[in-house]
Amino acid sequence: MTISNDAPSRRSLIAGAALGGLGLTLPMAPAIASERFRWRLVTSWPKGAPGPGTTADRLAAAITALSQGRLTVEVYGAGELVPAFEVFDAVAAGTAQMGHSASFFWSGKMAAAPFFTAVPFGLTPEAHNAWITYGGGQALWDELYDGFGIKPFLAGNSGFQMGGWYNREIDGLDDFKGLKIRMPGLGGEVVRRLGATPVSLPPGEIHGALRGGVIDAAEFLGPWSDSALGLNQAARFYYWPGFHEPNGSAECLVNREALETLPKDLRQLVNIVCAAENQRGLSEAEWFNALTLSKIEQDQSVALRRFPPKVLNAARETATEVLTEVAAKNDIAGRIYESYDAARTAAIGWGRVSRHALLEAQLNGA
């Protein structure tokens, strides 16, 4: 008996089983390989950076393996092909067929873009996924990016964020005045109105800027990814909660023309791999953030601090003002805000009798 070279490999079968465990169905590859495609995937992250960088690597590896090489994806870290903040433009122009980044980097192009990563005091990771998948978020996201020829997918999540690393204590609102802090998105606008100066820096430049005194504070993600960037060696005070980004959705950007050129099964494969990686990335972040925080708590050089209630209250009030102003920018922004706010209201109501109630009982007893 002759065995076809196109028979599924053991690696493909294992990967398919893993996807099936997530409730996903892997499209069957054709018996005879057809046209082959080579895609470039550009990212906003340092190559292989724990968290979003490894997510991008896994996306490329899974698509390449499960397509049996019919769609080969090569990853380029930030700056290797295009700068970190030019990922969106590169995918729109077709310089790269795929990108992996975060939507709040594109607020200069689309005021409502940050809603698809995180907004201050907004949806938690699970609630954000639910909004995108079942609450109409995906259709609005597609509409927002359609004019640029880009199809967005959820593809990884860094989970809850920390409040950031500061080189001085924040005892009240006065301590924000004149503070230069790396904070993108709508969170940056909130702290600006509290008196700080938000600075936009690619992840790979945060450590040097913080350690060198170019900035006074910086947020990135959670303990795991923050430590991987060495931020725990650049500032002493580590604040929580991350009110500015209660969620950390990453996005896979795909050039729509390139996507539509693919056969149907490969288009499905891209969708499936992104969905699987979205779940895996969140699980990974939850696990390693917990382990890393335990180590940080034992590090005498780091001082964990909670933002004072007056700071959180002022930030929440300011966030409401910022979001309302974004919603008034144009029709699409208003519809995104309305949909998002409805999802947030429902999630808070459900969380009050479920997640929040349980966590309170865990911490304080019944």
Side-chain angles (χ1 to χ4, degrees):
M1 180 176 67
T2 301
I3 300 175
S4 168
N5 290 333
D6 295 312
S9 66
R10 180 174 181 273
R11 182 178 180 185
S12 298
L13 292 172
I14 292 173
L19 293 174
L22 292 171
L24 300 169
T25 302
L26 181 67
M28 294 300 294
I32 300 176
S34 57
E35 184 179 0
R36 294 177 180 267
F37 303 86
R38 297 189 66 86
W39 279 13
R40 294 190 284 193
L41 190 164
V42 292
T43 80
S44 294
W45 329 112
K47 185 72 177 292
T54 49
T55 286
D57 288 341
R58 286 196 299 258
L59 280 172
I63 291 171
T64 301
L66 295 176
S67 70
Q68 299 181 48
R70 293 170 59 216
L71 175 54
T72 300
V73 181
E74 184 175 358
V75 179
Y76 295 84
E80 290 185 340
L81 188 62
V82 298
F85 292 157
E86 294 182 18
V87 167
F88 190 95
D89 290 340
V91 176
T95 302
Q97 293 78 19
M98 294 183 74
H100 192 257
S101 192
S103 68
F104 52 43
F105 292 143
W106 327 131
S107 59
K109 299 178 184 296
M110 303 158 284
F115 280 90
F116 297 99
T117 291
V119 301
F121 298 96
L123 293 169
T124 62
E126 299 89 347
H128 186 93
N129 286 344
W131 173 58
I132 293 293
T133 307
Y134 292 104
Q138 184 68 58
L140 290 165
W141 199 10
D142 289 343
E143 181 181 350
L144 186 67
Y145 285 12
D146 187 58
F148 298 91
I150 288 177
K151 165 66 178 174
F153 297 92
L154 286 174
N157 194 311
S158 53
F160 286 94
Q161 315 290 283
M162 288 289 282
W165 297 86
Y166 290 71
N167 61 15
R168 66 173 186 246
E169 291 192 74
I170 304 297
D171 293 322
L173 291 172
D174 286 344
D175 294 313
F176 272 101
K177 294 179 180 178
L179 191 76
K180 291 177 293 184
I181 176 171
R182 186 272 180 185
M183 184 175 288
L186 299 178
E189 177 59 20
V190 169
V191 297
R192 186 189 70 78
R193 297 187 186 196
L194 295 180
T197 300
V199 178
S200 185
L201 288 173
E205 298 179 16
I206 299 174
H207 176 269
L210 184 58
R211 188 156 195 165
V214 176
I215 55 177
D216 306 305
E219 63 76 44
F220 179 44
L221 299 175
W224 178 44
S225 295
D226 286 1
S227 296
L229 286 188
L231 302 188
N232 55 317
Q233 301 169 359
R236 172 170 170 72
F237 301 101
Y238 198 22
Y239 273 87
W240 58 278
F243 65 84
H244 64 296
E245 290 175 23
N247 174 55
S249 288
E251 60 181 8
C252 179
L253 305 168
V254 182
N255 179 281
R256 191 174 289 277
E257 182 177 349
L259 184 66
E260 292 173 352
T261 301
L262 296 178
K264 182 178 179 180
D265 67 310
L266 292 184
R267 295 199 302 269
Q268 292 175 331
L269 179 61
V270 171
N271 189 357
I272 288 169
V273 170
C274 286
E277 186 54 45
N278 193 57
Q279 178 58 45
R280 179 172 179 176
L282 180 57
S283 299
E284 180 181 55
E286 187 72 11
W287 181 256
F288 286 106
N289 278 333
L291 295 181
T292 307
L293 181 63
S294 295
K295 296 179 181 179
I296 288 175
E297 290 176 324
Q298 300 172 28
D299 186 348
Q300 299 300 313
S301 67
V302 174
L304 281 166
R305 294 285 189 272
R306 181 176 182 173
F307 284 119
K310 287 185 178 181
V311 168
L312 291 174
N313 290 337
R316 184 172 59 250
E317 293 174 3
T318 304
T320 300
E321 297 172 1
V322 170
L323 296 181
T324 301
E325 290 177 16
V326 170
K329 294 284 186 181
N330 48 53
D331 174 69
I332 182 66
R335 288 187 286 117
I336 289 171
Y337 172 78
E338 182 179 2
S339 176
Y340 187 96
D341 194 53
R344 181 173 57 178
T345 298
I348 290 173
W350 167 233
R352 182 178 62 83
V353 300
S354 59
R355 182 178 300 104
H356 304 316
L358 175 61
L359 292 176
E360 183 179 356
Q362 285 180 327
L363 290 171
N364 303 317

